[in-house]
Amino acid sequence: MRKLMKAEMYRIIHSKKLLRYLVIATILCILLPFKFFLDYLDDDLSTMLRSSSMIFFMILMLLPPFYAYVTGKLYNKGKLGMYEVMAGNSAFRITGSKLLTDGLLFTVLLTVSVSIFYIAMAVNNGTGTLDHVFIRFLLYIVLFAQTVFCSVLIALYVRKTATGAVLCYARFMIFDSAVLPFLMWLAGSVLGFEKLSLHIAHLSLINKMLMLTADPLNAMMILHILLGFVFEVLFWYALIYLGMKEKKYR
């Protein structure tokens, strides 16, 4: 796997166009909170987080297709992904190398770029009524990692750059913003299963990001965040494994 990781990092560093896109995306993530809160720079952290729904929405709308596009370009450049399979590398090694290079790199860039503004405001204006700030920050990192890792895995699963970007948009926008709310309404309002409706609400990434801004921390929220990350990563990995096992390389 180490050789695959070195090869992937080499491709990232020497793909100047894609590297330029990553830099631009990182800068935009840094500037995004400043744009929304330019007139409210004296507010404390808890107040700003409660008003950050549009920022989280834009992150899930724009970045997953972008990460899938970059990973897809790297994977399909000169049919490198197909050659990695033909060289006898297992699905675990190929997928793992991409997650430990593309996935970790994108996660760090996303976390740092989005967090810079909020950390500066917390230091300058205080955290307000927000409790367990460090634990919430760690949980946000898990949600960011889920967003990035699943984007990378989706790109590896479909093996087509444009299709991967579209599928990512469908997963993080249509599924989260349309399918899950419909299932919540069906379970709660139609069938009367209020607890089931609450669990379905916790499946949505955008809901979990918003819950972390103000809701009290509880076991259900934490478990949904941690287990949601694990199960979705395993789900997409299983699809990748089956595709490689059936020799669907192209």
Side-chain angles (χ1 to χ4, degrees), residues 121-218:
M121 293 300 101
V123 171
N124 189 59
N125 303 333
T127 58
T129 59
L130 197 67
D131 61 348
H132 306 294
V133 175
F134 183 69
I135 296 175
R136 290 176 190 270
F137 178 65
L138 293 179
L139 292 173
Y140 269 117
I141 293 177
V142 174
L143 293 176
F144 290 153
Q146 182 177 350
T147 303
V148 171
F149 277 33
C150 292
S151 301
V152 172
L153 291 170
I154 288 171
L156 297 179
Y157 167 61
V158 299
R159 302 177 186 88
K160 294 180 181 179
T161 305
T163 306
V166 171
L167 184 57
C168 267
Y169 181 85
R171 157 62 189 95
F172 291 102
M173 287 307 301
I174 298 175
F175 181 74
D176 260 31
S177 302
V179 176
L180 287 179
F182 171 76
L183 293 177
M184 288 167 53
W185 169 80
L186 183 64
S189 300
V190 178
L191 301 178
F193 299 140
E194 295 297 334
K195 288 187 177 180
L196 177 60
S197 178
L198 183 61
H199 281 290
I200 294 174
H202 279 77
L203 295 177
S204 168
L205 273 174
I206 186 65
N207 280 350
K208 285 185 278 193
M209 288 181 177
L210 295 177
M211 289 174 186
L212 277 177
T213 65
D215 289 7
L217 284 180
N218 55 58

Side-chain angles (χ1 to χ4, degrees), residues 218-229:
N218 55 58
M220 183 169 69
M221 183 191 302
I222 294 172
L223 284 175
H224 266 288
I225 290 173
L226 298 179
L227 295 179
F229 169 78

Side-chain angles (χ1 to χ4, degrees), residues 41-181:
L41 295 181
D42 293 329
D43 290 345
D44 57 49
L45 179 63
S46 61
T47 302
M48 287 188 172
L49 279 175
R50 285 195 294 268
S51 304
S52 296
S53 58
M54 187 56 66
I55 293 175
F56 295 137
F57 185 83
M58 292 186 70
I59 287 173
L60 292 177
M61 178 175 65
L62 300 176
L63 293 184
F66 169 75
Y67 291 140
Y69 174 83
V70 173
T71 300
K73 279 290 186 182
L74 292 169
Y75 186 77
N76 293 309
K77 192 175 182 180
K79 295 186 178 180
L80 289 170
M82 185 177 68
Y83 293 147
E84 288 177 355
V85 178
M86 293 172 63
N89 294 294
S90 65
F92 174 79
R93 288 178 178 272
I94 294 173
T95 306
S97 68
K98 302 299 185 291
L99 290 180
L100 292 175
T101 50
D102 300 20
L104 284 182
L105 174 62
F106 299 162
T107 299
V108 170
L109 290 176
L110 175 59
T111 301
V112 171
S113 60
V114 173
S115 303
I116 285 176
F117 174 83
Y118 293 103
I119 291 174
M121 293 300 101
V123 171
N124 189 59
N125 303 333
T127 58
T129 59
L130 197 67
D131 61 348
H132 306 294
V133 175
F134 183 69
I135 296 175
R136 290 176 190 270
F137 178 65
L138 293 179
L139 292 173
Y140 269 117
I141 293 177
V142 174
L143 293 176
F144 290 153
Q146 182 177 350
T147 303
V148 171
F149 277 33
C150 292
S151 301
V152 172
L153 291 170
I154 288 171
L156 297 179
Y157 167 61
V158 299
R159 302 177 186 88
K160 294 180 181 179
T161 305
T163 306
V166 171
L167 184 57
C168 267
Y169 181 85
R171 157 62 189 95
F172 291 102
M173 287 307 301
I174 298 175
F175 181 74
D176 260 31
S177 302
V179 176
L180 287 179

